[in-house]
Amino acid sequence: MAKTGIHSVVRIEASGPEAAGAQHGLAQIAKVHGINDRLNPVRVRAEAARVSASDHGAYRIAGDDTAGIWLRPGDSSAALTTVHEMGHFIDHQAFGTHREFGSESGAMPRLMAAIQKGPASTKLKREVRLARGRRDKYAAHYRYLNKPEERFARAYSQYIATQSGDPVLRQQLDRDRQSRYGDLMYHSDEEFAPIAAEFDRHFSAQKLAREA
């Protein structure tokens, strides 16, 4: 296994603003870390029918032509959404077993423990606990947000936005922080520092860290 640039494992097939957003997000990832050169390329496309009404994007692992990353046309946060969905791809293909995400399989215990200890995760777990037994849309959304792969992807997108220093990603991140569920999804910069340190350690251990 050797390290390569993130662009070598991504095929952008979207067009217009979605393609521009995807390209911008990938450029920020490339500033922070590389990727395993043996991964199969992932396609990035835009189609509303492939994304649930409450989401900005989707990462599909179906063994057919729908597999890959899908962006919602018109999404004003296409760059951050691409980074989030790339987090799923990396979790699944680079750190997972191709059958399950690394965040689920125990492949990165220190990193996932750091994410779990963050205040946002603590608040989210409380909401999940209080919603136990309920079947309304809010309870379902809390459970969705609390999935290991979703916790990883959100933390990954905050990591790239923070470490790249990119103002576009930071603006989109800050907008998400102000959303209805923002305090359950993201941490303040100060709270995120130990999580960022664990991401640094993990990418370094995997020999994927950015060259100094």
Side-chain angles (χ1 to χ4, degrees):
M1 181 186 78
K3 182 176 71 173
T4 188
I6 197 73
H7 291 87
S8 67
V9 298
V10 181
R11 296 204 307 260
I12 298 177
E13 299 177 11
S15 60
E18 292 74 40
Q23 289 165 352
H24 189 88
L26 291 174
Q28 307 322 306
I29 293 174
K31 292 179 183 178
V32 179
H33 69 82
I35 199 65
N36 179 348
D37 66 351
R38 296 183 182 178
L39 298 185
N40 293 323
V42 62
R43 302 165 71 187
V44 179
R45 292 168 283 180
E47 184 180 325
R50 302 296 183 186
V51 182
S52 69
S54 60
D55 291 332
H56 296 281
Y59 172 66
R60 297 176 61 89
I61 58 176
D64 56 31
D65 189 58
T66 66
I69 291 172
W70 293 91
L71 305 177
R72 176 175 295 285
D75 176 23
S76 61
S77 298
L80 188 67
T81 299
T82 298
V83 175
H84 178 101
E85 302 306 336
M86 283 299 297
H88 284 312
F89 170 72
I90 291 166
D91 184 12
H92 180 235
Q93 297 288 326
F95 302 148
T97 64
H98 292 222
R99 290 187 297 273
E100 63 181 340
F101 292 95
S103 55
E104 294 178 303
S105 69
M108 11 184 201
R110 284 184 54 170
L111 175 54
M112 292 308 295
I115 293 171
Q116 275 287 76
K117 289 178 183 176
S121 296
T122 300
K123 293 176 186 175
L124 177 57
K125 285 184 287 185
R126 178 178 179 274
E127 293 296 339
V128 171
R129 187 168 59 252
L130 292 174
R132 190 171 297 151
R134 285 167 39 195
R135 295 187 178 183
D136 59 271
K137 64 179 182 179
Y138 302 109
H141 195 57
Y142 293 143
R143 289 189 286 270
Y144 167 75
L145 293 176
N146 197 44
K147 289 181 177 180
E149 65 269 29
E150 292 301 328
R151 293 197 305 268
F152 176 88
R154 289 195 303 275
Y156 176 80
S157 63
Q158 184 166 357
Y159 173 67
I160 297 299
T162 301
Q163 300 302 94
S164 69
D166 178 61
V168 172
L169 286 187
R170 286 305 302 255
Q171 181 185 49
Q172 293 178 5
L173 172 65
D174 289 342
R175 189 165 61 219
D176 269 7
R177 280 170 161 167
Q178 299 303 314
S179 68
R180 176 173 188 144
Y181 301 102
D183 64 333
L184 306 179
M185 298 192 299
Y186 299 105
H187 303 81
S188 71
D189 290 350
E190 181 179 359
E191 294 164 351
F192 193 71
I195 300 173
E198 281 302 322
F199 268 109
D200 286 342
R201 186 200 65 80
H202 188 73
F203 279 113
S204 180
Q206 297 294 319
K207 297 182 170 53
L208 298 175
R210 179 183 59 183
E211 299 293 337

